[in-house]
Amino acid sequence: MRKYIIQIILTTLLFIGAGRLFAQKILLPFDRITALEVNRQLYELDTNIHFSYKPLLLNKSEYDTIMKHVQKRLGAKHREKWGGRKLFNENLAVLQAKDFYLTIDPLMNFEFGKDLDDKSNGQVTTNTRGILIQGNITEKVYFRTDFYETQSYFPTYMDSMILSSGAVPGQGKAKPFKTNGYDYPLVTGIVNFQASKNVNLQFGQDKMFIGNGYRSLLLSDNSSPFLFLQAGLSLFENKLNYHANWSALQTLVKVHGGGGDDLFARKQANFNYVSFKPNSIWEIGLFEGVIWERWNENSYSQDFDPLFINPVPFVNSFAKKSDTLVNSILGMNVFVKPFTYTSFYGQLSYGLEKEGVGFQVGTKLYEVLGIEGLSLQAEYNQVGGNVYGVKNDYVDYFHYNQPLAVQQMEDFSEVILIGNYRHKRFLLYAKASLADVVNPSIGDVTIQNYEANLGYIFNPITNLMVNAGVRYRDHSVTGSTNWVYFGLKTNLRNLYYDF
């Protein structure tokens, strides 16, 4: 029955959006390096692209134009030799035929470092090898998959987090590796089908981010990737966008009698987002996140609720408001760009069950003081208690024991300041986050995180770069971490270690 209901919904969406097809598509990675350059260029245009739902889906021709501008800003030279082109300008491998385009690139993160404040701890290292494959089949289908295999040794504060949660932040389930190390593979993949001019369908396992800030109080890329089916609809010349998302999440609670890695308690989620952008200046969106319990240790598997299939936003939240097997988060997202290189943004989050509230305000500035390549960002986040429902593993706003929204989750306030300066291939980055957190176990704590690094970008296609820097963390109860590092990596994802 469930299978036929899904087929009916998808068929209906196809007919709603029937019409002329767009050109080939590509989903942009939403790492901060790519976002920094892409947003700066998109800010210059009077575009109707909705910035707040990521990853951004662009025409491949738009992406190619952006990458040409990036190469120009990097001072890229025309290189005749194969090795020079592949290292500095191009994908490693490109396969192209009629109605088919595919690229293959290596992924890596070889980072070496040490916590200078921990005399008992050895080196802090990460050894990641991976591969990225993406491409187009005709104008209708875009696909991407990547695979990471990683072994890491972390500083003490991260080691404690991993031991308590069982997962590496933003990545996956942690398996022991030698002495005090962790082994954690990660696979993502997505297929985007452009059904018509107005409708696109996506299926895969990946992350999403709703908002324009460093954090998101609604849905962020803070957790591990999760399995999803998504339908996107654009109307009125893209002034109105709607994304309906059906997701499968996982706890790290073993089911009754289970012994394998695949026998953890599951839960389901709806993530619905409606955004309206009447012009290039402002954009407003409404969000609904609904978590459905699928298993618990008393009654085991729960009956499937047909309302989970419902694509109409906000119906499920209010229809199930008093249902203890459902947890709903509602929210609003606002983005305003009054000037070419200046934007303001904000969010509200609301836990429907216990009426907890959170909010965010922030600003981004590009080409500050007329200095090309200089950008600044300031952000304030504050979340009270009872927003995300953290008391019940089976309906809480977590996946793989990792928050789906902002990292601290509840009872905290935080100020974030970020500065970037890019000159040709050099990138200077500095960030400070200052948080006051109410910890149920130890009371009020302050957590300060500072990071600064200098990088040199070889190839903007994968952000292949060398960099060196320091991460300094001070926790008012557990002490400080002074983590210095250097490495060689491709940078196509965000990892949040500043908690």
Side-chain angles (χ1 to χ4, degrees):
M1 180 66 179
R2 192 185 320 172
K3 174 182 176 183
Y4 296 117
I5 293 173
I6 294 174
Q7 288 177 344
I8 291 170
I9 290 172
L10 296 182
T11 303
T12 302
L13 288 169
L14 291 178
F15 279 110
I16 289 173
R20 177 176 56 86
L21 291 176
F22 281 134
Q24 289 179 326
K25 299 290 186 178
I26 188 168
L27 283 166
L28 285 182
F30 45 96
D31 64 277
R32 283 179 287 279
I33 293 178
T34 300
L36 185 71
E37 188 62 35
V38 170
N39 285 347
R40 190 201 67 80
Q41 292 189 43
L42 292 178
Y43 274 28
E44 294 177 348
L45 306 175
D46 291 329
T47 177
N48 64 350
I49 294 174
H50 293 233
F51 290 111
S52 302
Y53 196 93
K54 303 173 181 72
L56 291 179
L57 181 66
L58 297 181
N59 292 338
K60 189 176 182 301
S61 59
E62 294 172 327
Y63 170 78
D64 291 340
T65 299
I66 288 172
M67 292 311 299
K68 288 178 181 178
H69 289 170
V70 172
Q71 296 279 13
K72 183 177 179 181
R73 281 168 62 86
L74 292 177
K77 301 176 181 178
H78 177 71
R79 301 175 188 273
E80 297 291 343
K81 295 185 178 180
W82 183 89
R85 298 198 318 272
K86 299 304 176 181
L87 179 61
F88 291 101
N89 303 108
E90 299 178 359
N91 299 100
L92 178 64
V94 178
L95 302 177
Q96 190 167 7
K98 182 181 179 181
D99 293 331
F100 180 79
Y101 182 82
L102 180 142
T103 63
I104 303 173
D105 291 287
L107 302 172
M108 67 194 74
N109 183 13
F110 306 122
E111 184 175 290
F112 305 90
K114 188 173 180 63
D115 178 5
L116 300 180
D117 287 349
D118 186 356
K119 304 304 180 183
S120 64
N121 198 10
Q123 287 189 340
V124 180
T125 64
T126 290
N127 180 1
T128 299
R129 295 87 56 212
I131 188 169
L132 168 65
I133 301 172
Q134 61 182 328
N136 297 88
I137 302 174
T138 72
E139 295 180 340
K140 295 185 178 182
V141 178
Y142 165 78
F143 60 91
R144 191 203 72 230
T145 184
D146 54 25
F147 170 78
Y148 294 88
E149 173 65 33
T150 305
Q151 293 81 40
S152 294
Y153 295 90
F154 292 110
T156 301
Y157 82 95
M158 286 193 60
D159 191 61
S160 299
M161 164 70 81
I162 296 167
L163 288 173
S164 64
S165 68
V168 178
Q171 295 172 86
K173 185 175 182 293
K175 299 179 181 179
F177 176 72
K178 295 184 178 179
T179 304
N180 301 323
Y182 300 97
D183 188 324
Y184 48 102
L186 183 70
V187 178
T188 73
I190 189 168
V191 176
N192 181 85
F193 175 60
Q194 195 67 35
S196 73
K197 176 184 176 181
N198 301 101
V199 173
N200 75 286
L201 306 174
Q202 293 180 11
F203 176 74
Q205 176 165 296
D206 209 342
K207 303 182 181 185
M208 278 153 265
F209 190 100
I210 295 178
N212 299 279
Y214 178 78
R215 311 279 195 204
S216 173
L217 307 189
L218 306 179
L219 180 64
S220 82
D221 56 341
N222 179 70
S223 75
S224 300
F226 49 83
L227 186 69
F228 68 89
L229 171 66
Q230 178 173 284
L233 176 66
S234 65
L235 296 172
F236 310 117
E237 297 182 342
N238 206 43
K239 290 181 180 179
L240 183 68
N241 276 191
Y242 173 52
H243 294 87
N245 184 292
W246 299 268
S247 296
L249 307 180
Q250 184 168 299
T251 73
L252 288 181
V253 177
K254 288 285 185 71
V255 302
H256 180 69
D261 285 348
D262 58 337
L263 296 177
F264 291 103
R266 305 273 179 169
K267 49 191 175 183
Q268 297 170 328
N270 296 125
F271 302 116
N272 299 318
Y273 186 66
V274 184
S275 59
F276 178 59
K277 189 170 186 178
N279 52 50
S280 62
I281 296 177
W282 65 279
E283 172 189 334
I284 186 168
L286 298 176
F287 170 80
E288 176 191 40
V290 184
I291 310 297
W292 303 74
E293 183 174 310
R294 295 294 294 125
W295 186 93
N296 65 53
E297 72 276 15
N298 297 317
S299 55
Y300 309 139
S301 293
Q302 303 294 325
D303 292 336
F304 176 78
D305 192 324
L307 265 181
F308 173 73
I309 302 297
N310 164 52
V312 181
F314 312 115
V315 169
N316 291 349
S317 290
F318 292 99
K320 294 291 183 177
K321 187 177 187 301
S322 59
D323 192 333
T324 59
L325 303 183
V326 175
N327 176 31
S328 293
I329 290 86
L330 304 180
M332 176 183 290
N333 183 80
V334 178
F335 172 81
V336 182
K337 186 177 74 71
F339 311 109
T340 301
Y341 294 122
T342 302
S343 70
F344 301 94
Y345 59 88
Q347 289 186 334
L348 288 174
S349 59
Y350 177 73
L352 192 60
E353 180 184 1
K354 295 186 177 180
E355 301 182 344
V357 177
F359 72 91
Q360 173 191 87
V361 292
T363 182
K364 289 182 181 178
L365 308 172
Y366 292 90
E367 315 296 84
V368 178
L369 300 176
I371 300 173
E372 185 177 5
L374 177 62
S375 66
L376 300 175
Q377 181 176 358
E379 180 174 308
Y380 178 76
N381 298 297
Q382 181 174 314
V383 179
N386 302 318
V387 176
Y388 300 105
V390 298
K391 305 302 183 185
N392 183 341
D393 286 334
Y394 308 116
V395 292
D396 61 17
Y397 210 61
F398 283 69
H399 170 60
Y400 265 117
N401 288 356
Q402 302 167 65
L404 287 164
V406 64
Q407 207 164 31
Q408 297 291 355
M409 288 299 285
E410 297 193 332
D411 284 324
F412 81 96
S413 61
E414 177 187 42
V415 175
I416 300 173
L417 302 172
I418 301 174
N420 291 277
Y421 177 65
R422 186 166 184 169
H423 178 69
K424 295 186 177 181
R425 294 184 181 271
F426 287 96
L427 180 64
L428 179 63
Y429 171 80
K431 177 175 65 67
S433 66
L434 313 173
D436 291 317
V437 183
V438 179
N439 187 300
S441 302
I442 57 179
D444 296 347
V445 298
T446 59
I447 304 173
Q448 302 178 48
N449 281 278
Y450 304 93
E451 182 174 5
N453 67 56
L454 176 65
Y456 180 87
I457 298 176
F458 291 104
N459 193 330
I461 299 291
T462 57
N463 292 325
L464 176 64
M465 62 188 298
V466 291
N467 72 337
V470 59
R471 301 180 181 104
Y472 180 80
R473 176 183 187 265
D474 183 71
H475 189 287
S476 60
V477 175
T478 61
S480 63
T481 300
N482 192 7
W483 179 0
V484 295
Y485 62 90
F486 65 93
L488 169 69
K489 65 179 180 178
T490 51
N491 197 330
L492 293 177
R493 55 183 181 160
N494 298 323
L495 298 175
Y496 300 89
Y497 296 162
D498 51 349
F499 50 85

